[in-house]
Amino acid sequence: MPALGTFLLLSCFVVAAYAATACLAGARRQSTRLTESGIGAFYLVTALMSVASAIIMYAFVTDSYAIKYVDRYSDAAQPLLFKLTAYWGGLDGSIMFWVLLLSVFGAIAVRNSRESHRELIPYVVAVIAIVEMFFLFLMVVHNNPFETYLADIPPDGQGLNPLLQNVYMVIHPPSLYIGFVGMTIPFAFGMAALATGYLDDSWLRAVRRWTMVSWLFLSLGLTLGMIWAYEELGWGGYWGWDPVENAGLLPWFTATAFLHSVMVQERRGMLRVWNMTLVITTFFLTIFGTFMTRSGVVQSVHAFGEDKQLAFMFTAFMTVLLVVSFGLLIYRLPLLRARHELDSWISREAAFLANNWILLFSAIFVLFATMFPTLSEAVAGERLTVGPPFFNKWMLPIGLALLALTGIGPLLAWRKSTIDNLRYQFLWPVVAAVVTGGGLVALGVRVWSSGTCFALSAFVTATLVQEFVRGARVRQQYSGSDLVTSAIGLVARNQRRYGGYIVHLGIVLMALGFAGDGFKQEEQLLLKPGQSVTVGPYSVRHDGIAITQDAQKQMVTARMVAFRDGKEIGPIAPAKWFYNKRTEEPTTEVAIQRSIGYDLYVVLAGFDAQQQSATFHVVVNPLVNWIWVGFGILAIGTLIALLPERALATAAVKVPAGAATGSSTTVLLLLVLLGASAFPVHVHAQGHVEGASTVVVPMSPFEREMQGQIVCMCGTCGRQRLSECTCGTAEQMRVELAGLVKQGYTREQVLDYYVQKYGSQEPLAMPIDKGFNRLAWAVPYAVGVAGAIFAGAAAFRWSRRRHGPEAAPAVEATQAEAWQQKLDEELRDLD
């Protein structure tokens, strides 16, 4: 069986090589038979990879420990679900899963576009096949998942990492992989368009849906990652700017920018070079993200480990990718000139330009900050830590600016907005923002940053409501139906636009959830049986500890009762699990009591079984569930935008006027139920790496603040902050920090102590702004200013009127006005 698997991988490489060669030769010679044979070979790769994948999954199910990969990531006691998902749980299998997905996606894309883009398909096949060949080459020469032991076959496997034995990890990695791999399809069509010179907008139509689907799965993967971190890592948060998290975020930024800027090209014929650049950059970032997580250039709890040989092969591939891609782009620049100029700085095109600049800056900043520790080690010989405080300092205002643009963009007209138009469009959204902001100030809510986020959320929400209500009223005048039916008809007529608005509503809800983090309350303390603690509106009482055992692990569970406003709401059971095969990686099971407004989040940080006492980390997280609900709304909006135009239009036409209200009510009920299903209100338990049995409780706000400024130096937790990490090393460092605070050390003295002790600034969550480290602070400013200058210069160039012999002949004023009116009407129609 392992020999057959290896043979299939080698066959896939040979067949993919033939597919690429035959398609390129067929296109050059205009030989249909040669091209068709290449496409047939391309489909064959999908079939071979499916068989190879079935073999490795069968090996997991049948406990074939002669295969090293199966031995490392499975054992006999592992549940069947986790045996199957162990397929992508390790480095070798994840690469194999990547190729499987790419072969399936490629086959679907080629089949769907084979007739409509006949001239592009040979090059599309060649590009995808070459990418497949790279990953197949990695498996054949370096990371063969079918490699076997020659002797001493282990009787049982080592088991999957306990952190990965979680239902969210069953679907989180595949979602991210689908998002990553899906971006290959737009790249392949873009390269085909550049190679053939067919650079009209038809290739955009072929890739827009693929980009949206990939973007949706990237969003799903990132959200599932946040839920997993929230429930599995046990530190009360959901996003820690871990390098692997950032790897998934990088292509999301550029793909989001593309989905906005592509509308400018479709409607105004502008940003053609820019859109091609975004397609190339997004694909490059998916490869770079894969490189980051598999080569060991960054330190992360999620990374697969250090592998210099793999890093070298990825570097070579990425270099070739950039040279060829941008070389073709430069070669075709004359064919990519914009067809129109920017008519006004106060227009939707200008808003999209600002949106693109901010998103690209975000991607560059996150990439630079993620790689800065590696860069500092290579240049200055000192590895630094760039932790959440540094990222938050920059990304907070960037996020607020993007939220503001989410509301501003729909209010601006294409081409140019007049003063009257601005007054008409902005009046109610601005009133909503001012009233919300004023009310929050009156209630004592701090303006920065949560208050600003709430006010901007009100602004965007008012914008969206205004767009739906005005559009529905116009439709109501023509159809004579009620307002709700008219609104549904509006969505059915232009699902791309109004689906996008629903996506924006999801973003607003997620922003509310993020803003709630500013009101988080938490306590760490030791409780004996019968004692309780109150945090916010919640109280929890500790009743004792129970120790149980199953085939995989030993479980230490705290028996507690939760109260809200003095009323009992039920038992909760935070726990610690010690897996038999990985005793050095115990997990902590978090108990969560969910509600619309708050989450009660309790972690068993340490315990004394003999005394029945335990140390708990109790957190009250306001609004956190709105993040998950917001993603649900975002997904619904994306799916509406993805529907074929005729689907909803046909449905709307067939619904009788009198029955439409009932139908709309059903849709609304479905939406409510979908939202409710994303809001399970129950006690839940999940897990996290743990080593200590006790936790030092911070005695002062200053000590708590310093726990957030120092990172754990254990080397395995991905540099989590002391306030978050629960490993044994973090526990010792917290004891040490408590001693320093008790001795009266200032903030600077504490930081200096750790720098002196470890000989570098690596224990600091944020590099000190001096010397080489100043680069970390200066580069984002420089990139931001340079990007603003570039965007401004491009907009200024587009906005100049052409004069001289090449200028269009002048037209009579009346004729120009007539054209203007006709164009506005057409644009409004398209809008």
Side-chain angles (χ1 to χ4, degrees):
M1 185 168 61
L4 177 59
T6 302
F7 172 76
L8 287 173
L9 293 182
L10 188 58
S11 300
C12 282
F13 181 84
V14 174
V15 173
Y18 174 78
T21 307
C23 282
L24 285 177
R28 297 286 296 173
R29 297 181 182 179
Q30 297 185 341
S31 168
T32 303
R33 290 184 59 189
L34 200 52
T35 302
E36 291 296 326
S37 70
I39 294 174
F42 186 68
Y43 291 151
L44 182 59
V45 173
T46 309
L48 293 174
M49 281 306 303
S50 299
V51 176
S53 297
I55 289 175
I56 194 71
M57 295 183 81
Y58 179 76
F60 273 110
V61 172
T62 56
D63 300 327
S64 302
Y65 301 119
I67 299 176
K68 291 182 179 179
Y69 185 71
V70 177
D71 168 49
R72 288 198 296 266
Y73 298 102
S74 181
D75 65 15
Q78 201 161 290
L80 177 62
L81 178 65
F82 297 130
K83 283 185 180 180
L84 294 174
T85 56
Y87 169 30
W88 52 74
L91 173 60
D92 305 351
S94 69
I95 295 175
M96 186 174 171
F97 187 54
W98 183 292
V99 180
L100 172 67
L101 288 176
L102 182 55
S103 64
V104 173
F105 290 176
I108 295 173
V110 169
R111 183 184 179 281
N112 290 344
S113 303
R114 194 167 174 177
E115 297 301 325
S116 56
H117 298 89
R118 184 174 291 273
E119 66 284 350
L120 298 181
I121 287 302
Y123 294 93
V124 170
V125 170
V127 172
I128 297 175
I130 289 170
V131 177
E132 288 174 346
M133 287 170 61
F134 167 69
F135 285 102
L136 287 165
F137 177 77
L138 294 183
M139 285 190 286
V140 170
V141 305
H142 189 60
N143 295 96
N144 184 3
F146 294 103
E147 185 178 358
T148 58
Y149 291 106
L150 297 178
D152 300 328
I153 297 174
D156 196 3
Q158 300 171 36
L160 188 64
N161 186 328
L163 280 173
L164 303 181
Q165 299 190 38
N166 178 285
V167 66
Y168 292 114
M169 289 309 288
V170 173
I171 48 178
H172 163 59
S175 301
L176 276 181
Y177 289 150
I178 290 173
F180 269 46
V181 175
M183 294 299 178
T184 309
I185 307 301
F187 172 76
F189 274 90
M191 290 300 97
L194 287 173
T196 57
Y198 287 99
L199 288 164
D200 55 7
D201 295 345
S202 62
W203 75 273
L204 283 177
R205 288 191 288 275
V207 304
R208 188 172 59 79
R209 287 182 183 276
W210 276 104
T211 308
M212 289 180 69
V213 170
S214 303
W215 180 86
L216 176 60
F217 275 97
L218 261 185
S219 305
L220 174 63
L222 291 171
T223 305
L224 289 174
M226 285 195 285
I227 297 175
W228 173 78
Y230 184 62
E231 298 191 351
E232 187 73 22
L233 297 184
W235 50 274
Y238 39 80
W239 188 268
W241 296 107
D242 181 89
V244 176
E245 292 175 326
N246 296 344
L249 190 60
L250 291 171
W252 187 90
F253 280 131
T254 51
T256 306
F258 173 75
L259 288 175
H260 285 84
S261 62
V262 73
M263 288 188 281
V264 180
Q265 179 171 344
E266 288 175 338
R267 299 183 179 186
R268 299 299 316 279
M270 300 166 62
L271 301 180
R272 301 177 73 200
V273 177
W274 178 247
N275 283 325
M276 190 64 80
T277 303
L278 285 178
V279 168
I280 296 171
T281 305
T282 301
F283 175 68
F284 170 76
L285 289 176
T286 64
I287 300 297
F288 190 82
T290 310
F291 160 74
M292 282 171 60
T293 55
R294 287 160 177 80
S295 64
V297 296
V298 295
Q299 294 183 348
S300 166
V301 67
H302 310 280
F304 288 101
E306 186 172 352
D307 191 329
K308 291 183 178 179
Q309 192 175 353
L310 193 67
F312 172 77
M313 288 187 277
F314 263 100
T315 303
F317 180 67
M318 289 188 293
T319 304
V320 173
L321 186 159
L322 289 176
V323 170
V324 173
S325 303
F326 284 104
L328 273 174
L329 178 62
I330 294 170
Y331 175 69
R332 294 295 189 186
L333 277 180
L335 299 178
L336 290 169
R337 287 177 181 164
R339 292 195 291 267
H340 297 96
E341 291 81 29
L342 186 67
D343 292 319
S344 170
W345 291 79
I346 308 176
S347 62
R348 195 172 293 189
E349 299 94 309
F352 281 148
L353 195 63
N355 155 292
N356 270 234
W357 167 60
I358 294 175
L359 286 168
L360 188 64
F361 171 77
S362 302
I364 294 173
F365 167 73
V366 172
L367 175 62
F368 175 77
T370 304
M371 296 302 298
F372 189 75
T374 305
L375 181 66
S376 68
E377 186 175 29
V379 176
E382 179 185 12
R383 191 173 187 89
L384 303 175
T385 299
V386 179
F390 183 80
F391 282 98
N392 293 337
K393 190 179 184 67
W394 281 92
M395 292 306 294
L396 192 59
I398 289 174
L400 292 175
L402 285 173
L403 184 60
L405 281 172
T406 302
I408 293 173
L411 298 177
L412 296 175
W414 289 101
R415 301 193 64 192
K416 182 179 182 181
S417 297
T418 63
I419 297 298
D420 288 341
N421 177 263
L422 293 177
R423 190 184 301 118
Y424 176 72
Q425 291 283 69
F426 278 83
L427 177 61
W428 290 112
V430 170
V431 167
V434 171
V435 169
T436 304
L440 291 171
V441 171
L443 292 172
V445 177
R446 59 176 181 271
V447 175
W448 186 263
S449 57
S450 297
T452 305
C453 183
F454 290 140
L456 289 174
S457 297
F459 173 76
V460 179
T461 304
T463 297
L464 300 176
V465 171
Q466 176 177 276
E467 288 291 300
F468 273 96
V469 170
R470 287 180 175 171
R473 282 181 176 167
V474 171
R475 186 173 177 81
Q476 193 177 13
Q477 292 174 2
Y478 291 99
S479 63
S481 57
D482 61 88
L483 192 65
V484 176
T485 305
S486 299
I488 294 175
L490 199 68
V491 176
R493 184 173 180 274
N494 194 342
Q495 61 264 35
R496 185 176 172 191
R497 175 184 181 182
Y498 289 96
Y501 286 167
I502 294 172
V503 170
H504 284 186
L505 179 61
I507 297 291
V508 169
L509 296 180
M510 295 180 80
L512 290 177
F514 295 142
D517 190 64
F519 304 95
K520 183 164 71 176
Q521 301 175 66
E522 56 187 324
E523 289 287 347
Q524 281 187 346
L525 75 169
L526 176 68
L527 292 179
K528 296 179 180 177
Q531 291 184 328
S532 61
V533 59
T534 299
V535 181
Y538 290 99
S539 297
V540 289
R541 188 185 69 215
H542 171 52
D543 288 340
I545 291 175
I547 299 178
T548 54
Q549 179 85 36
D550 68 11
Q552 265 194 306
K553 56 192 177 292
Q554 183 183 61
M555 298 164 282
V556 179
T557 307
R559 291 179 285 107
M560 307 185 80
V561 179
F563 302 84
R564 179 165 183 174
D565 299 323
K567 183 179 178 183
E568 182 176 331
I569 55 177
I572 56 175
K576 292 172 70 68
W577 289 356
F578 296 84
Y579 282 77
N580 301 332
K581 294 285 181 64
R582 294 175 181 261
T583 54
E584 75 284 0
E585 299 174 4
T587 66
T588 298
E589 303 299 302
V590 180
I592 304 176
Q593 182 74 40
R594 299 187 189 279
S595 70
I596 298 292
Y598 299 92
D599 262 12
L600 171 63
Y601 184 96
V602 182
V603 179
L604 175 62
F607 64 92
D608 185 333
Q610 190 171 10
Q611 299 293 326
Q612 290 287 296
S613 62
T615 305
F616 297 99
H617 183 199
V618 183
V619 184
V620 173
N621 271 324
L623 303 179
V624 65
N625 288 308
W626 288 102
I627 298 174
W628 327 131
V629 175
F631 170 76
I633 302 295
L634 178 149
I636 291 171
T638 308
L639 292 174
I640 289 175
L642 278 169
L643 284 175
E645 293 181 1
R646 285 171 296 181
L648 283 178
T650 304
V653 168
K654 288 182 177 177
V655 175
T661 305
S663 175
S664 62
T665 307
T666 306
V667 172
L668 288 174
L669 281 174
L670 280 174
L671 292 178
V672 170
L673 289 173
L674 284 171
S677 67
F679 245 116
V681 181
H682 61 270
V683 179
H684 199 72
Q686 303 296 330
H688 170 58
V689 170
E690 177 64 46
S693 59
T694 59
V695 167
V696 174
V697 179
M699 300 300 292
S700 66
F702 174 66
E703 185 179 342
R704 188 186 304 278
E705 176 194 342
M706 294 313 299
Q707 286 188 359
Q709 299 292 319
I710 308 295
V711 299
C712 176
M713 294 297 289
C714 69
T716 59
C717 68
R719 295 288 183 264
Q720 285 189 322
R721 291 181 289 184
L722 295 187
S723 58
E724 301 164 353
C725 187
T726 54
C727 75
T729 303
E731 181 54 36
Q732 293 171 10
M733 292 180 70
R734 276 192 291 268
V735 172
E736 186 179 44
L737 175 62
L740 297 177
V741 173
K742 193 173 182 179
Q743 294 175 43
Y745 275 49
T746 64
R747 178 180 183 278
E748 287 69 26
Q749 287 174 322
V750 170
L751 297 182
D752 186 60
Y753 171 84
Y754 282 103
V755 170
Q756 295 299 326
K757 178 177 180 179
Y758 290 96
S760 72
Q761 294 182 31
E762 197 171 2
L764 311 187
M766 188 164 58
I768 299 173
D769 185 14
K770 69 178 184 180
F772 177 79
N773 300 349
R774 192 153 286 174
L775 193 65
W777 298 87
V779 167
Y781 282 113
V783 171
V785 171
I789 292 174
F790 176 78
F796 177 75
R797 185 169 179 271
W798 290 332
S799 63
R800 282 190 307 176
R801 300 289 180 190
R802 292 183 181 177
H803 300 288
E806 294 184 358
V811 294
E812 295 294 334
T814 52
Q815 188 182 9
E817 288 175 2
W819 289 356
Q820 176 74 36
Q821 186 177 356
K822 183 176 174 59
L823 182 58
D824 285 343
E825 288 172 357
E826 289 178 354
L827 284 173
R828 196 179 301 117
D829 237 15
L830 282 171
D831 211 17

